[in-house]
Amino acid sequence: MTELAVAILTGILFTTGVYLLLERTMIKFLIGLVLLGNATNLVVFTCSRLVRGAPPIIPKGEKILQPPFADPLGQALILTAIVISFGVLAFTMMLIRRTYDAIGSDDVEDLIEPLGQDLTEKESAP
Amino acid sequence: MRSILLQTICRFIIPFLLVLSVFLLLRGHNEPGGGFAGGLIAASSFALILLAFGKNEMKVAMRFDPKSIAGIGLVIAVLSGFPAFFIGEPYLKAIWFMLPTPLGPTKVGTPVIFDIGVYLVVIGITVSFLEDMDE
Amino acid sequence: MSVIFVVLIPLLMAALLVSLWNVPKGRKIIALIGSAAHALAGVWLLTTVIQSGAVAKNISGWIPPFGIEFRADIFSATLVALASFIGLCVTIYAHSNIDDERTNFGFHPLFFVLLGGISGAFVTADLFNMFVWFECILLSSFVLLGLGGEKKQLRGSLNYVIPNLFSSMLFLTGLGLIYGATGTLNMAQLAERTAQINPSTAALITVVFVTAFGLKAALFPFFSWLPNSYHTPPTAVAALFAGLLTKVGIYAIIRFVGTIAPTTAAAIIPILTIICVLTIVIGSIGALAHTNLRKILGYLLIGHIAFMLLGLIVPTQASMAAAYFYMLNHILVITCLFFFVGIIQWHTGQIDIRKIGGLQAKYPALAVGMAIPTLSLIGIPPFSGFWPKIGLLQAASETPLFFASIIFSSFLTLLAMAKVWMNIFWRAEVTETPEMPPCPTTKALPAYLLAAIILVISLFPAPIADLTNRAASEFAPYFQINRGDQ
């Protein structure tokens, strides 16, 4: 039952994330990215089986984990993914800041290269 | 306009914070703590210096360029896997040995060296981020 | 051991270069030494694998699925060796190409992180570890693309960032799904377990993964970011990206469908055929539409990428060998072409072919040098593009659509390159070009070196053909499963 609720939540996050990803202002794009990252983390979390109140700690005196326990590998995957998305987000934020400084507007439409402009503007280093 | 209240408190707190961060670093393997937590607390002490005294004091307190510290930490972390190579085990296998210290034999190993590397990386990256944000 | 060194050396170099952030003096020399060491490690790995078979190592002694395994068979090892060699060439080219401003902002450490990520993605045998290396590649390529901060770089950067970020999210979703369905992330264990799960779940997971990797590999309909972003960075960066990054996506698709989930291939092969055919057709047509040399090369890159998936579409050893040979050849050819375009830009200061002319008279060596990779790209005998293309045509004889698209693409590539050639080399000089000093050695050396290697491969393709045959034979389970069905 909880899986259904989390699945619906993931669906909502994916929907809003992709919708915001297609938005015109760059800040909304950034928020969409955050939501998308959260949605994927939730997918990984749900797929490693939701277990209530059973941390993966070996009890005193035992040698191996006693089932049922929450899956530690899934949690490690999510941790790695969170750290990576944090780095990516920091970079994207700086990129958007720099783009705003360069073109003076938050609009993605102002970034489109008119036809043939790649031939007239200054070329990159040979 | 630097707050004198903050400055006075910082003079007392920052040494404790730094000692706490090293304590968390060394404790990290079997108890809560570790390189990340220790590094963040050390970086927060530098953030306090930034807020209380200013950017120049933080640079002086930091002695070295934060990016260099991050790089050195990364080198240490990568090199901590090498002792395993010399013994014939796969790279990054944990080698533990007993070190005779004045407090009695202590168990030291390559994961601690790796954690020290992570500690330096976290300090370096967070402080360089703080430096740039202060512009 | 070499399998670990090949990933460790670039990462160690990157760490070293970061710790020497404020010391600009020895940076380029250290980078050169590092690239050379990496290339040597790649060659060492390749020779080890050729002599004694696949090499596997468990990192830190933990056994899978809790531990990460690095495994290099001939398929991966050749790609790693080639990637490290291309990295060395790009480092030499970058000596005169990347200006001080970019070097001070960390071009060299990022370059090494990129190489480390590429090598790691090729040798890893754990799917999540592949995700981590993909993210290494992604982040360093983001910054490399945007380095310089002019409006042009920022635009190209955003064009590149958005699809690739989405592809990582898809990759992660697929990882979650496959972990939930099978309980492991190690490729060998996945190969056993995907046969046992519900076929429609397996097909869904394959679709998610192929979409994620297809975004990286610039397949239809996810390819428009490539020509819009590869003409913005400096030549060294563009050559590195063009030569290696899309191939990592293709490698991931082949690894996934070929090794991890061969039972799902029957579901995905029809879609893959249509995607590949459309990619080839649209890429080749796009090359005709532009006059910016870099954009033409970008579209040609797209048009040829899809050939490499023929090994999956027609599951025979001959077709996989031909597709793999094509991949190796294409890496060399496209990097070489980007280098030559950079040299042309150095001499003339232009990138529009309508404004360049008369280079045959002024720089005949350049014409000869550029002719070799061009003819190889088109696939004219006896150049090195011809041998795999014959293999591809033979293999595609069962899929008439693919066969027709190969021939169509070859003609259109010929047309596009003929148009470029006529404009640049055979016409009289059109615009007043400022007198530039002669091309620096660090630019000319990698370009002509790669051209010489392509020439050698053209005249003596047999050793490479043997190698690719051996690499293709490693996919025997895939051929068995899918050939038996048909």
Side-chain angles (χ1 to χ4, degrees):
Chain A
M1 193 53 209
T2 349
E3 280 102 358
L4 186 61
V6 181
I8 294 179
L9 178 64
T10 312
I12 296 176
L13 278 176
F14 259 119
T15 317
T16 32
V18 172
Y19 182 79
L20 283 174
L21 215 60
L22 301 169
E23 275 283 342
R24 201 164 159 168
T25 39
M26 293 184 213
I27 296 295
K28 288 190 187 165
F29 159 73
L30 201 63
I31 300 179
L33 213 57
V34 175
L35 289 178
L36 213 54
N38 289 334
T40 37
N41 292 337
L42 268 183
V43 168
V44 181
F45 179 57
T46 321
C47 284
S48 35
R49 306 299 186 273
L50 301 171
V51 176
R52 259 181 198 229
I57 297 181
I58 303 180
K60 227 177 172 69
E62 307 281 342
K63 282 266 178 203
I64 55 174
L65 279 171
Q66 304 294 321
F69 55 86
D71 188 8
L73 191 59
Q75 297 180 9
L77 301 185
I78 301 176
L79 261 174
T80 316
I82 292 179
V83 171
I84 293 176
S85 351
F86 166 67
V88 164
L89 206 64
F91 170 76
T92 316
M93 204 184 308
M94 280 300 131
L95 185 67
I96 292 181
R97 171 68 202 272
R98 199 62 188 84
T99 313
Y100 179 75
D101 283 342
I103 64 176
S105 121
D106 200 12
D107 206 343
V108 171
E109 299 275 312
D110 291 337
L111 210 52
I112 295 180
E113 165 189 303
L115 208 56
Q117 194 194 351
D118 57 308
L119 302 168
T120 51
E121 64 186 356
K122 179 169 155 284
E123 298 93 19
S124 16
Chain B
M1 179 72 173
R2 303 283 169 198
S3 154
I4 193 131
L5 193 60
L6 195 58
Q7 287 183 356
T8 322
I9 293 182
C10 277
R11 281 180 217 277
F12 288 107
I13 282 203
I14 283 172
F16 281 117
L17 273 179
L18 289 172
V19 172
L20 177 68
S21 75
V22 176
F23 168 70
L24 279 179
L25 162 71
L26 293 175
R27 182 188 200 240
H29 203 260
N30 291 324
E31 270 126 27
F36 288 109
L40 281 175
I41 291 191
S44 70
S45 75
F46 286 108
L48 266 177
I49 301 182
L50 179 68
L51 286 171
F53 298 101
K55 193 166 166 193
N56 289 324
E57 272 77 2
M58 183 179 82
K59 280 200 168 140
V60 167
M62 197 67 189
R63 299 282 301 277
F64 305 103
D65 187 33
K67 294 194 185 69
S68 306
I69 291 188
I72 292 176
L74 206 50
V75 172
I76 293 177
V78 168
L79 288 182
S80 78
F82 274 98
F85 252 156
F86 300 140
I87 303 188
E89 301 271 356
Y91 177 72
L92 268 184
K93 188 159 175 70
I95 313 285
W96 295 96
F97 45 90
M98 299 300 256
L99 204 62
T101 55
L103 302 159
T106 331
K107 202 169 157 203
V108 181
T110 47
V112 182
I113 304 179
F114 186 83
D115 242 352
I116 294 178
V118 170
Y119 177 78
L120 290 174
V121 167
V122 172
I123 292 183
I125 292 183
T126 319
V127 173
S128 82
F129 197 61
L130 286 170
E131 255 183 19
D132 290 333
M133 286 308 259
D134 196 44
E135 307 260 330
Chain C
M1 221 202 288
S2 53
V3 91
I4 296 176
F5 271 134
V6 100
V7 180
L8 215 55
I9 290 180
L11 292 180
L12 205 57
M13 281 291 131
L16 205 67
L17 287 167
V18 169
S19 45
L20 297 173
W21 189 271
N22 287 327
V23 180
K25 275 226 147 176
R27 221 180 261 153
K28 290 186 174 172
I29 304 294
I30 296 180
L32 205 61
I33 297 177
S35 297
H38 186 215
L40 281 173
V43 171
W44 176 23
L45 176 66
L46 184 58
T47 46
T48 317
V49 171
I50 289 181
Q51 281 168 358
S52 35
V55 173
K57 265 271 190 250
N58 287 327
I59 303 292
S60 78
W62 296 99
I63 50 177
F66 304 114
I68 294 174
E69 191 189 351
F70 274 10
R71 187 171 183 278
D73 46 12
I74 295 189
F75 194 72
S76 322
T78 323
L79 281 170
V80 170
L82 195 55
S84 54
F85 178 66
I86 298 280
L88 180 61
C89 293
V90 171
T91 314
I92 300 176
Y93 194 95
H95 199 265
S96 57
N97 186 227
I98 306 291
D99 53 10
D100 282 327
E101 186 195 321
R102 286 193 172 87
T103 324
N104 284 336
F105 275 102
F107 169 77
H108 287 292
L110 287 165
F111 171 77
F112 277 111
V113 173
L114 185 66
L115 272 185
I118 292 176
S119 313
F122 282 145
V123 297
T124 185
D126 180 284
L127 209 52
F128 193 75
N129 198 222
M130 195 187 254
F131 172 70
V132 174
W133 294 124
F134 265 66
E135 294 305 298
C136 268
I137 297 174
L138 203 74
L139 274 172
S140 47
S141 65
F142 284 173
V143 190
L144 279 174
L145 208 57
L147 219 50
E150 305 150 23
K151 188 168 162 185
K152 181 174 189 157
Q153 265 90 28
L154 294 170
R155 191 171 51 224
S157 207
L158 265 180
N159 253 320
Y160 179 82
V161 163
I162 299 174
N164 277 284
L165 277 180
F166 190 66
S167 124
S168 329
M169 301 296 176
L170 272 180
F171 191 169
L172 195 54
T173 314
L175 271 174
L177 291 173
I178 208 172
Y179 179 63
T182 54
T184 176
L185 283 166
N186 182 289
M187 288 187 192
Q189 288 182 348
L190 276 173
E192 297 163 15
R193 293 192 201 183
T194 43
Q196 295 155 2
I197 59 179
N198 186 2
S200 35
T201 319
L204 168 70
I205 294 176
T206 311
V207 167
V208 171
F209 272 105
V210 170
T211 314
F213 296 141
L215 258 168
K216 286 239 177 334
L219 296 176
F220 176 89
F222 326 109
F223 56 55
S224 49
W225 56 268
L226 201 151
N228 286 340
S229 58
Y230 274 22
H231 69 95
T232 52
T235 307
V237 174
L240 185 67
F241 284 10
L244 292 176
L245 288 192
T246 35
K247 312 301 183 296
V248 176
I250 295 284
Y251 167 82
I253 296 183
I254 297 181
R255 202 38 109 192
F256 190 81
V257 181
T259 311
I260 297 179
T263 44
T264 58
I268 203 153
I269 281 178
I271 312 173
L272 214 52
T273 319
I274 300 179
I275 289 180
C276 290
V277 165
L278 280 169
T279 314
I280 296 171
V281 167
I282 299 181
S284 310
I285 295 179
L288 285 174
H290 288 271
T291 52
N292 182 340
L293 263 174
R294 296 258 204 104
K295 275 202 172 173
I296 295 178
L297 281 183
Y299 273 105
L300 283 178
L301 173 64
I302 298 175
H304 288 247
I305 270 282
F307 287 155
M308 304 167 199
L309 289 177
L310 191 65
L312 291 178
I313 294 175
V314 178
T316 54
Q317 183 170 333
S319 75
M320 180 68 89
Y324 189 53
F325 193 166
Y326 200 82
M327 196 191 308
L328 299 177
N329 173 55
H330 190 79
I331 295 178
L332 287 168
V333 163
I334 214 88
T335 316
C336 188
L337 275 174
F338 264 93
F339 283 157
F340 273 116
V341 164
I343 295 181
I344 291 177
Q345 200 180 338
W346 171 268
H347 282 306
T348 59
Q350 304 280 346
I351 202 79
D352 186 353
I353 58 175
R354 293 175 296 193
K355 299 208 183 111
I356 308 177
L359 289 185
Q360 171 88 28
K362 270 180 128 178
Y363 311 105
L366 180 65
V368 171
M370 193 162 165
I372 299 173
T374 309
L375 292 172
S376 209
L377 189 70
I378 302 171
I380 292 184
F383 286 97
S384 67
F386 173 68
W387 311 113
K389 221 165 220 174
I390 280 292
L392 286 173
L393 281 170
Q394 274 177 339
S397 51
E398 310 172 8
T399 356
L401 203 56
F402 214 99
F403 190 90
S405 66
I406 296 181
I407 303 208
F408 183 67
S409 151
S410 305
F411 274 124
L412 282 189
T413 315
L414 174 63
L415 201 57
M417 292 316 280
K419 180 172 126 179
V420 166
W421 217 262
M422 286 195 298
N423 275 318
I424 299 183
F425 287 106
W426 292 338
R427 213 166 36 154
E429 199 168 332
V430 268
T431 40
E432 281 302 313
T433 49
E435 265 309 308
M436 295 292 282
C439 188
T441 328
T442 47
K443 277 204 221 284
L445 177 64
Y448 287 103
L449 180 66
L450 283 177
I453 293 179
I454 296 173
L455 194 60
V456 167
I457 296 181
S458 319
L459 298 174
F460 306 104
I464 312 283
D466 273 339
L467 194 67
T468 54
N469 241 336
R470 277 182 72 180
S473 63
E474 288 156 359
F475 285 93
Y478 176 74
F479 304 140
Q480 212 171 18
I481 294 177
N482 285 323
R483 211 47 178 168
D485 281 16
Q486 294 177 353

